[in-house]
Amino acid sequence: MGGVIPDQPLSPSASPSPSASEEGKRLPSVLDVPLPSYLLPETAEVDSAGHLRVGDVDVLELVGEVGTPAFIYDEEHLRRRCRDAREAFGPRVAYASKAFLCKAMAELAWEEGCCIDVSTGGELAVALAAGVPGERLVMHGNNKSVQELEAALAAGVGRVVVDSFDEIDRLAAVSRSLPLGHPAPKVWVRVTPGVEAHTHEYIMTGQDDSKFGFGLASGAAAEAVRRLRSPEAGVEVVGLHVHIGSQIFALESFERALSIVAPFLGEESLAELCVGGGLGVPYVVGEHAPSIAEWAEALRGVARAVGVAPNVTLSAEPGRAIAATAAITCYTVGTIKDLRGLRTYVSVDGGMSDNPRPVLYGSGYEAFLPRETSAPRPRVVTVVGKHCESGDIVVREAHVPADLVVGDVLATPVTGAYGYSMASNYNKVPRPPVVFVRDGAWKVVVRRETFADLLSLDA
Ligand code: LLP
């Protein structure tokens, strides 16, 4: 997967976060590689006692107050990535809120100049509750209901991304019911370019055989634009949207998609092209991903090369690249089961309910102890959760310090995207709190669920 980066252990004097774009040589696979700093949030530091500090807050002190499991986000990291996106793509760039959303996050992304991509009525409601103006929202979804379209149009969302012929009919009906003088909704047509990005099958979306968008090769995209341009449709077609998948390291996949879509954009004389999200991030030692700026630069180069008109606005909607590395999840080790000759199971107080990615996609993570962040990690264990399934794995092959004991706070980095947003209450486990840290202070932006919350929907 992609290139390689130097293993940069955090040490009290080390620079906390080298750019993930720094190329280097992967060390041979030694077992005791300390956690590299590029997997931690940008303001991470190690104090003289070896403790991890994020946003100038001692992580162990913080979890002493809020308990475990807990998602701890570096607010400065989130803000910097949003600013990177805005700088790289301009004012129509959107943060893909499916990666991680709460009111504080929506507010932050908007404050930093990003639009927000919402893909359901629920995400729309949270963004609006955070005070984000409708015009700064992009409404997605492959099966938007009439109610969702009504809510989106009533809020005056900046763009609706049209995904199917059925939606064109529903949209026409909803837009006819708008009060007189209400401006026609601006829409992008979502196109599938027939590109198979190199990523997990479940998160690949640009191939012809997809539930998303209109195929280019089949002529469906051209037919969609034609129908949307008829006066009965009641909308204004302003651009195209293409999203080929997620956790993609190879810029060539994006470049290929862009070069396929560009001629169609020209034929239809459309002036906006959103390339979706999908930029990957490193999760484990040795992975490397381009930065948001490098991604934008590569896309611009292709746009120029394939003759995209200079007046075309190129935008994107990164989610993972903004939120993933911003957070760590802290757990408490409750049980260590050493099955001699087989494996050591280290059970923590969360699991697949706060991070379903390992069980869904076989995703890998690192683990470390915030009490000795830069310690060598020579012991190999399997970190598991507290759920009633053997598949409830947090880290299959976790390298941890030799002195790991019951009661330790164990952390997994790079859990800021698609962790909290895909969390569940499986086994009636309450969802963890979300804490933002910044400048020596912390705030709980989403509180821990209680058993009363779990019971609150029962009749
Ligand atoms: N735009 C659209 C239309 C999308 O469908 C997505 C992600 C994004 C933007 C943001 O993509 P990102 O920059 O975050 O890659 N649950 C999976 C990821 C699913 C992605 C769904 N769509 C995971 O945990 O890997």
Side-chain angles (χ1 to χ4, degrees):
M1 292 201 180
V4 284
I5 27 181
D7 292 339
Q8 299 228 8
L10 272 179
S11 67
S13 57
S15 140
S17 51
S19 150
S21 63
E22 281 174 36
E23 287 283 349
K25 285 180 200 68
R26 173 88 169 88
L27 292 176
S29 177
V30 284
L31 288 184
D32 62 353
V33 172
L35 184 75
S37 58
Y38 57 78
L39 296 179
L40 284 172
E42 274 203 5
T43 70
E45 298 170 307
V46 178
D47 71 13
S48 53
H51 287 197
L52 177 66
R53 297 180 72 80
V54 179
D56 215 11
V57 170
D58 184 314
V59 166
L60 289 177
E61 269 174 35
L62 169 55
V63 297
E65 299 273 336
V66 301
T68 57
F71 285 93
I72 299 174
Y73 278 81
D74 179 355
E75 186 179 332
E76 184 55 31
H77 183 119
L78 290 170
R79 288 186 182 277
R80 286 184 197 168
R81 289 298 83 77
C82 286
R83 288 201 287 270
D84 289 349
R86 164 80 194 219
E87 250 167 57
F89 287 102
R92 281 245 69 94
V93 73
Y95 164 64
S97 69
K98 66 208 75 179
F100 163 60
L101 181 63
C102 61
K103 285 199 296 178
M105 182 63 210
E107 206 180 335
L108 180 156
W110 172 53
E111 278 171 7
E112 296 299 346
C114 292
C115 293
I116 299 183
D117 143 8
V118 293
S119 55
T120 64
E123 288 178 354
L124 173 66
V126 174
L128 291 174
V132 180
E135 205 288 312
R136 301 297 290 157
L137 301 177
V138 180
M139 186 71 195
H140 271 280
N142 69 302
N143 186 22
K144 303 176 193 74
S145 66
V146 168
Q147 291 78 3
E148 285 174 319
L149 287 169
E150 281 170 350
L153 299 200
V157 297
R159 300 290 180 271
V160 177
V161 186
V162 180
D163 201 283
S164 69
F165 291 112
D166 288 318
E167 184 184 339
I168 294 177
D169 297 339
R170 282 197 284 267
L171 194 53
V174 174
S175 104
R176 269 197 297 277
S177 68
L178 288 172
L180 221 65
H182 197 287
K186 290 191 164 75
V187 305
W188 286 337
V189 177
R190 180 157 175 179
V191 164
T192 35
V195 167
E196 298 208 357
H198 296 286
T199 189
H200 192 285
E201 181 196 350
Y202 292 180
I203 54 177
M204 196 195 268
T205 54
Q207 68 282 13
D208 286 326
D209 182 358
S210 170
K211 71 167 181 166
F212 296 103
F214 299 94
L216 256 188
S218 66
E223 173 63 11
V225 173
R226 197 189 60 75
R227 285 202 212 171
L228 284 162
R229 277 186 167 150
S230 78
E232 302 82 64
V235 298
E236 184 189 352
V237 186
V238 294
L240 298 180
H241 179 284
V242 57
H243 171 78
I244 56 172
S246 195
Q247 184 58 2
I248 299 166
F249 290 126
L251 289 178
E252 304 83 69
S253 299
F254 296 105
E255 292 170 350
R256 208 148 28 95
L258 184 55
S259 63
I260 291 170
V261 172
F264 182 57
L265 190 80
E267 280 159 33
E268 299 292 349
S269 313
L270 292 165
E272 295 181 6
L273 176 58
C274 178
V275 297
L279 182 62
V281 302
Y283 279 89
V284 294
V285 171
E287 283 181 339
H288 166 70
S291 67
I292 292 175
E294 287 165 340
W295 182 40
E297 194 42 49
L299 289 169
R300 251 190 226 104
V302 172
R304 270 194 303 272
V306 299
V308 171
N311 68 322
V312 167
T313 308
L314 199 64
S315 68
E317 45 198 26
R320 194 188 311 267
I322 286 176
T325 319
I328 64 172
T329 307
C330 287
Y331 303 99
T332 300
V333 173
T335 304
I336 300 180
K337 202 173 276 182
D338 196 2
L339 307 184
R340 279 191 195 288
L342 285 175
R343 181 187 297 278
T344 300
Y345 283 100
V346 171
S347 297
V348 296
D349 52 356
M352 63 192 288
S353 55
D354 58 75
N355 187 0
R357 299 193 69 258
V359 70
L360 274 176
Y361 319 115
S363 308
Y365 286 85
E366 299 282 345
F368 70 100
L369 301 182
R371 70 172 160 83
E372 46 178 356
T373 314
S374 7
R377 300 176 301 157
R379 195 168 163 196
V380 179
V381 301
T382 297
V383 179
V384 294
K386 61 184 284 134
H387 296 277
C388 304
E389 311 202 5
S390 298
D392 174 26
I393 287 167
V394 178
V395 187
R396 186 174 292 278
E397 293 248 311
H399 293 184
V400 293
D403 61 352
L404 172 87
V405 287
V406 167
D408 263 332
V409 171
L410 177 142
T412 48
V414 202
T415 55
Y418 305 109
Y420 191 80
S421 68
M422 296 206 296
S424 76
N425 288 129
Y426 184 36
N427 290 136
K428 290 290 180 208
V429 171
R431 271 176 279 231
V434 177
V435 185
F436 277 14
V437 291
R438 191 189 192 196
D439 294 339
W442 53 272
K443 58 184 178 208
V444 175
V445 296
V446 185
R447 68 164 171 78
R448 185 184 302 286
E449 275 179 331
T450 63
F451 293 156
D453 290 324
L454 298 181
L455 284 162
S456 66
L457 301 177
D458 283 42

